[in-house]
Amino acid sequence: MADILHRVGVKTTAPDKVYEALTTIDGLAGWWTDDTKGDPAPGGVVAFRFPVGGFDMEVQETRPQARVSWRVVAGPDEWIGTTIDFDLHQQGDYTIVLFKHGGWREPVEFMYHCSTKWAIFLMSLKSLVETGEGAPAPRDVQISDWH
Amino acid sequence: MADILHRVGVKTTAPDKVYEALTTIDGLAGWWTDDTKGDPAPGGVVAFRFPVGGFDMEVQETRPQARVSWRVVAGPDEWIGTTIDFDLHQQGDYTIVLFKHGGWREPVEFMYHCSTKWAIFLMSLKSLVETGEGAPAPRDVQISDWH
């Protein structure tokens, strides 16, 4: 098993802002992909669609200002059954996001790509909360021939 | 053991450009940190210094347009003995970089941070080769309270 890990600090003294961006359709659409639909409450499923493909996430847990957990229920084979956790805590002027996309069966080349792309999208989340403007798909920063 | 993985594609039809940016002091200083000194040939040691701290890398292997490998011989405790590999291949108009910072003993919070920061620096490498301008320290993109 292999995991993708990231840490960003979002400069804000309002610890609910990052949590909102992870638990509302508008928030999620503001940093990951414009085309976001579904029910972001625990037990609900959120469908994220990109110019090519997408993912359905079952919401496992939402704890205000502390944790958001998803399980991938549809999408590329490599993603099915993996888990995505956002652990949040406030540290001075920053909301710290510890991100884990866990349970990859093999460290395939697609995992390398997704790791870099997650970093880019977490920077988009940071930008959304700090400036009001994220860079969700299809306006996301391109990292390679795989976009 | 835990690994940091990334994949970027650098748009260039000259497959030696990325290799040069990984195996010359000028190249390395152009995307990772201004303060880069040492011997980037196999068996040499390159010293990378940042506003706070730094790393010494022993060059393990350099294979033109294919692979650059380092072993960390000085730096933060968590980094000592870990390895950093850049595997390169040309795919159409892109030089693909598969990056691995391998052999972390534990997935500590600092590893989360380094994973995101590596993504940012690989985007700086991409920018350096594509535009002639990278964003090395101390002009690197800040991701958090840990910079």
Side-chain angles (χ1 to χ4, degrees), chain A residues 34-120:
Chain A
D34 275 359
D35 188 353
T36 299
K37 295 190 182 84
D39 174 11
V45 172
V46 185
F48 300 93
R49 292 294 175 271
F50 296 79
V52 177
F55 316 100
D56 288 359
M57 304 291 186
E58 187 179 81
V59 180
Q60 302 284 296
E61 188 182 358
T62 60
R63 261 194 294 139
Q65 284 71 276
R67 187 178 174 88
V68 175
S69 291
W70 301 333
R71 198 171 62 89
V72 183
V73 293
D77 265 3
E78 297 92 335
W79 279 51
I80 306 278
T82 61
T83 53
I84 293 169
D85 301 315
F86 302 86
D87 281 295
L88 312 178
H89 67 275
Q90 191 68 18
Q91 201 157 288
D93 289 348
Y94 287 87
T95 303
I96 305 300
V97 182
L98 294 180
F99 170 91
K100 177 173 170 175
H101 183 176
W104 287 73
R105 287 182 296 276
E106 299 288 340
V108 291
E109 188 168 347
F110 184 46
M111 182 179 169
Y112 285 66
H113 166 80
C114 293
S115 175
T116 314
K117 202 75 202 191
W118 272 125
I120 298 293

Side-chain angles (χ1 to χ4, degrees), chain B residues 11-68:
Chain B
K11 197 162 190 182
T12 173
T13 51
D16 54 326
K17 292 290 183 203
V18 171
Y19 182 74
E20 273 177 32
L22 297 173
T23 54
T24 64
I25 295 298
D26 274 0
L28 292 161
W31 66 269
W32 201 19
T33 179
D34 275 359
D35 189 353
T36 299
K37 296 189 182 84
D39 174 10
V45 172
V46 185
F48 299 93
R49 293 295 175 271
F50 297 79
V52 177
F55 316 101
D56 289 358
M57 304 291 185
E58 187 179 80
V59 180
Q60 302 284 297
E61 187 182 358
T62 60
R63 261 193 295 139
Q65 283 72 276
R67 187 177 174 87
V68 175

